[in-house]
Amino acid sequence: MKNGVDTKAAPGRISFPAPETMNSAQREVYEQIVSGPRRTLVGPLRAALHNPTLADRWQRLGQVLRFETSLPTRLSELAILVTARRWNSRLEWAIHAGDADRAGLDPSVAEAIRVCEPPDFGDDAEGREIYEFARQIVQTGDVDPDSYAAIVARWGEVGAVELTAVIGYYTLVAMTLNVHRIPLPEGVSCSLPGEHGVLAEMPGAVAANV
């Protein structure tokens, strides 16, 4: 053990602090995480606990962006799925595909994103706008004027700020999961087509019926 971390061999590239080996700072952050809305320690926070100050700030920001924005959960989860698919983050996809389904996202939309085909939102203009905003920003680092204006018109400037932050935060999550090879939890499976290390290219949504 070193610095409160169980250094025995772990799947992936990094060891994870375990409750019985955590130092006091790590244990404090761990208790905050498992007593909050997440109720469990999974994903990137397992690695972030190597620096408990980082893990603390991380989980606080994540709580705001996942649970406390003005965007409906269905649309926030849609943006997260686009982000997870772009970076081919299997764990991020596995967790949030389930969350998106429970929040009411059309399963056919999630499946289209998974296989990188044009999703058909039908009469769901909100979903189409969120998808296009997220798709553009993860693939180009920017959003065209029309897509930006559509989000501001529907959700206000606060919505545009929140949506951009959600996508940026879950990009950080995806990179952390990928780089450290953080494994899927036991009993969780995920299948994302594509080659490891090659970014997914997502097409525009099916055009709205007019």
Side-chain angles (χ1 to χ4, degrees):
M1 186 175 73
K2 182 178 180 182
N3 296 327
V5 175
D6 184 353
T7 56
K8 296 193 295 289
R13 289 176 166 172
I14 195 169
S15 60
F16 304 118
E20 63 272 16
T21 64
M22 291 176 186
N23 61 38
S24 59
Q26 291 169 329
R27 184 74 187 196
E28 181 179 357
V29 176
Y30 170 79
E31 294 293 347
Q32 291 174 358
I33 293 169
V34 299
S35 65
R38 289 184 178 85
R39 294 181 291 182
T40 186
L41 179 66
V42 297
L45 289 172
R46 297 178 70 192
L49 266 177
H50 281 277
N51 181 328
T53 301
L54 172 61
D56 177 53
R57 305 301 191 271
W58 189 316
Q59 67 98 4
R60 290 173 187 270
L61 176 60
Q63 179 171 323
V64 171
L65 294 176
R66 188 172 181 183
F67 303 109
E68 301 173 16
T69 72
S70 62
L71 299 170
T73 303
R74 173 181 68 89
L75 299 178
S76 182
E77 291 296 335
L78 169 60
I80 295 168
L81 288 186
V82 173
T83 306
R85 189 65 189 95
R86 170 60 171 169
W87 302 109
N88 293 319
S89 181
R90 295 171 65 244
L91 178 51
E92 187 168 75
W93 179 274
I95 291 173
H96 289 280
D99 290 343
D101 184 62
R102 286 185 289 272
L105 183 68
D106 186 338
S108 69
V109 168
E111 177 59 15
I113 295 170
R114 189 184 74 85
V115 297
C116 296
E117 293 182 353
D120 187 348
F121 288 91
D123 295 330
D124 181 10
E126 295 178 344
R128 185 179 293 103
E129 291 163 1
I130 293 287
Y131 172 82
E132 193 58 32
F133 188 103
R135 182 188 74 85
Q136 288 183 28
I137 199 170
V138 297
Q139 294 192 156
T140 73
D142 201 357
V143 176
D144 68 43
D146 289 344
S147 296
Y148 188 89
I151 295 299
V152 172
R154 193 177 297 276
W155 304 107
E157 290 182 326
V158 64
V161 169
E162 290 171 342
L163 179 56
T164 304
V166 166
I167 296 164
Y169 173 79
Y170 281 97
T171 294
L172 169 63
V173 169
M175 289 181 174
T176 300
L177 295 171
N178 288 355
V179 167
H180 300 303
R181 304 292 195 271
I182 296 176
L184 295 171
E186 186 176 351
V188 174
S189 62
C190 176
S191 175
L192 288 181
E195 182 182 350
H196 180 74
V198 178
L199 301 184
E201 291 291 333
M202 287 169 288
V206 173
N209 296 322
V210 293

